[in-house]
Amino acid sequence: SAAPAPSETIDGFHLLIEALKLNGIDTIYGLPGIPITDLTRMLQAEGLRMLSFRHEQNAGYAASIHGFITQSPGICLTVSAPGFLNGLNSLAHATTNCFPMILISGSSEREIVDLQQGDYEEMDQLAIAKPVCKAAYRVLHAEDIGVGIARAIRAAVSGRPGGVYLDLPAKLFAQTMEAAAGRSTLIKVVDAAPAQIPGADAVARAVDMLKGAKKPLILLGKGAAYAQCDAQIRKLVESTGIPYLPMSMAKGLLPDTHEQCASAARSFVLPEADVVLLIGARLNWLLSHGKGKTWGGNGHKGWGKQKFIQVDISPQEADSNVKIDAPLVGDIASCVAELQKAVDKSWAKPPKEWTDAVSAKKNGNIAKMAETLAKNPSPMNFHSALNVVRDIIKANPDAMLVNEGANALDFTRSIVDMYKPRKRIDVGTWGIMGVGMGYCVAAAAATKQQVIAIEGDSAFGFSGMEVETICRYDMPVCIVIMNNNGVYKGTDVDPTGRDPAPTVFVKGARYDKIIEAFGGVGVHATTTAELRSAMEQAIKSRKPTLINAVIDETAGTESGRITSLNPNAAKKK
Ligand code: ADP
Ligand code: MG
């Protein structure tokens, strides 16, 4: 008699791929190697976009910002132990920044790892990942892949988003199941990031406080940008008439040129405001912890006289640094909708003395800045080079702007206006260097827009090899390196005369030559005219381009705007 027909089977590789596809994941950032090499090939063969990097940290940063831009978890795929550790930096970054990301890492056999018998790339990865992520899971059986992916997605995007670790030991991939039974274990996640409606009492408390304000201020953070309720936020700001201040990655939520934008009057509005409505912004170091001189504070522990209303999805955020008088816990879209309802019922615009004072301060500062920007010194300085970038972004408001460095970061943030939401992606909560090229790849992949990266020469070095990745995928990325020969600036010397100073690089380095090695366009720009035409050409051609913008090596200050964070050496007598 004939043997029964073999039933169709499915293996761990394909269950994983199908689970990802079922949940709308279309792009994977990673780096092949044991045990995931075949997985990367199969992902590509099954129609997912598999973007392969030169170092896992950059793939991870790409995944993290993919999460910020799309609200869908960015996936980073790494090999075991060393690859995993390289990816861990970005997992921690995602968690710190509240970006949804899943680091999926292959790992060695549990039996050997747990007995510490010395496996290839042996490491207890799950235990190591746990302190830097929101959740960590391991899947040992093919039949649990569906649950593993579902839990990872929910953990990454629900509530306060963050980084999730998913550990997949090598053996899992080759396990097989009967195909129909295997597929029946997969889960399409329903309502992964549920709305969280604020309580009526909390809304009333917040509205009362806002209505009682004489000098109200709205502070928009990257949580507000992430929430993708741009029109609602704009309406709330405009209908209340309250001046607002965008945090770095919230720039463009409303155009920076908006008449209510108080960016150019930051040091005036923070200490002066009496009621501050925080929307998706934490009172961490980036806001001087909500106290001290920045806030005009001289009370208990430097607390100021402001009252704070804080809209945040995390119920634990309030009171983290100073007293929050009206916490409004919920998702930003729901909270803003509730505030809007109240405002629509009755609202009086803030006192004219306040809004006039803010405008006067702001216009004065803008006029001063315009004078500085109009200068065209030789060699270029940050201001003259960034004046070009400012014009280019104004003419190309859909372009994604990646920004990292010290002075290159501070000056770009204050000089280059943004016009649309989620176009500016930068060093984030930690103020880290190294996100640049990974962010460029993800920005190009996730948005298909032109990407412009403004990089300090030091910052660029952390991810520079990914220029090859950008060229390989032929991405419309224009990298501008503000080259001042070093970290902060290029003028330090070794007092002993032996070595270059620790902050100084090869002088006159030609970063533009790097991209030429991979078929991209390199430009050496020493004048603003050269910089302008090179950027215009890059955007027109959409070719991978690297512009070495030569900046005066005496330009720039130690640590940019955060000099005060350097510990002081004991005073010499
Ligand atoms: P910034 O650095 O721009 O000030 P932060 O990262 O400090 O921004 O703050 C972002 C805040 O936004 C976090 O406290 C986070 O919990 C919150 N958040 C993120 N997404 C949402 C959302 N959808 N709804 C409400 N709050 C959110
Ligand atoms: Mg430099």
Side-chain angles (χ1 to χ4, degrees), residues 248 285 382 386 402-413 424-428 430-437 439 453-463 480-484 486-489 505 556-562:
S248 190
W285 70 281
F382 285 100
L386 288 169
V402 174
N403 189 203
E404 62 175 340
N407 293 283
L409 177 85
D410 294 333
F411 287 124
T412 305
R413 187 179 54 234
R424 185 186 155 85
I425 49 181
D426 66 27
V427 302
W430 268 342
I432 42 156
M433 302 298 120
V435 294
M437 298 304 103
Y439 274 20
I454 306 300
E455 299 272 315
D457 52 341
S458 163
F460 172 74
F462 290 77
S463 66
V480 179
I481 298 188
M482 299 283 173
N483 187 358
N484 64 351
V487 182
Y488 310 133
K489 46 184 171 178
F505 299 137
T557 59
E558 177 90 6
S559 309
R561 298 258 167 87
I562 52 176

Side-chain angles (χ1 to χ4, degrees), residues 97-98 160-161 221-223 226-227 247 280-282 284 286 311-314 317 330-332 429:
N97 281 274
C98 315
R160 170 182 278 178
K222 62 180 171 304
Y226 174 80
M247 297 298 287
R282 287 171 284 186
N284 55 18
L286 288 157
V311 175
D312 205 290
I313 202 151
S314 164
E317 186 54 37
D331 70 281
I332 287 170
T429 304

